[in-house]
Amino acid sequence: MTHFINDLIGPRQLIFAFVLVGLLTWLCYAFSKHVTKNRIHGSAVAIIIGLALAYYGGISTGGKRGIADISVFAGFALMGGAMLRDFCIVSTAFGVRLEELKKAGLGGVLALVIGTVLAFIVGVGVAYAFGYRDTVSLTTIGAGSVTFIVGPVTGSALGATSDVIALSIAAGVVKSIAVMILTPFLAKPFGLTNPAAAMVYGGLMGTTSGTAAGLAATDVRLVPYGALTATFYTGFGCLVCPSILYLVMKAIFG
């Protein structure tokens, strides 16, 4: 039986990953509809289960790719990789209406700047509280709290140690998970009900994966708007963290 399964899935790992995700998504939406009465969106349920499976995969194998470290699920490494992730995000932009995009205007730009600087300050504060005092480490961990992509980019540019870069990635992952889980609960009090608000929210939160997943669990029509500014957020962070913000940190901490 095991030999048959390996022969069946082995050459078709990516297809198997798509089938499994489709089945899991269907089950999560059914759970959301019949058990939670739509109080928790099916996407949010699927995200939580996906994170739990990734954790189990990492713990059980001691690997670094989550569930993809189990051989039968190796197709998830490609399915969840940067290429298909970015393709999905770009594909959502086809639903963007330019007239709605213009409405973000100055507010979207300000959200981008404020969100980046605020996240950076929080990250630096946490790093300082845990005993880090050198400028490179503080800047790298602060950049990681912007997104888990900006952290390693900044750390590599400044010559940070590998453990500090790993901490910066961890900070970004924690932020991403928090955004994707909390967004559906914050949507109503934050007035997250229209494209302009979604763009400002994406600029404030950054973390493309967290914002896109959180908005998907809130209202899937808002995803392209939030993901649009969130994508700019990562690029903006990669530009300013190892340059302007590092110089500011250098002036403060020497």
Side-chain angles (χ1 to χ4, degrees), residues 91-230:
S91 68
T92 64
F94 282 101
V96 172
R97 290 188 298 172
L98 288 178
E99 59 269 25
E100 297 292 350
L101 182 60
K102 292 176 183 175
K103 290 180 182 177
L106 183 61
V109 175
L110 287 176
L112 202 63
V113 175
I114 293 171
T116 303
V117 174
L118 195 59
F120 182 82
I121 292 173
V122 170
V124 170
V126 172
Y128 192 87
F130 278 87
Y132 288 92
R133 295 291 183 270
D134 64 289
T135 306
V136 170
S137 296
L138 289 170
T139 305
T140 301
I141 297 173
S145 67
V146 175
T147 76
F148 56 78
I149 295 175
V150 178
V153 168
T154 302
S156 300
L158 300 180
T161 58
S162 58
D163 58 330
V164 169
I165 292 176
L167 279 175
S168 74
I169 295 173
V173 170
V174 169
K175 176 186 174 182
S176 179
I177 293 172
V179 170
M180 74 172 65
I181 292 176
L182 294 177
T183 296
F185 301 101
L186 297 175
K188 190 173 181 179
F190 282 15
L192 200 54
T193 56
N194 56 74
M199 280 188 277
V200 172
Y201 186 77
L204 283 173
M205 294 294 113
T207 175
T208 307
S209 54
T211 300
L215 289 177
T218 304
D219 184 346
V220 71
R221 293 171 297 181
L222 301 178
V223 171
Y225 303 100
L228 184 70
T229 45

Side-chain angles (χ1 to χ4, degrees), residues 45-60:
V45 178
I47 289 167
I48 294 171
I49 292 178
L51 291 172
L53 290 175
Y55 178 77
Y56 170 77
I59 290 294
S60 60

Side-chain angles (χ1 to χ4, degrees), residues 54-69:
Y55 178 77
Y56 170 77
I59 290 294
S60 60
T61 65
K64 299 179 180 178
R65 301 186 304 167
I67 196 71
D69 283 318

Side-chain angles (χ1 to χ4, degrees), residues 1-13 16 72-73:
M1 186 63 179
T2 304
H3 183 70
F4 171 75
I5 293 174
N6 288 335
D7 287 344
L8 179 66
I9 297 175
R12 307 173 186 86
Q13 291 177 339
F16 178 65
V72 73
F73 300 120

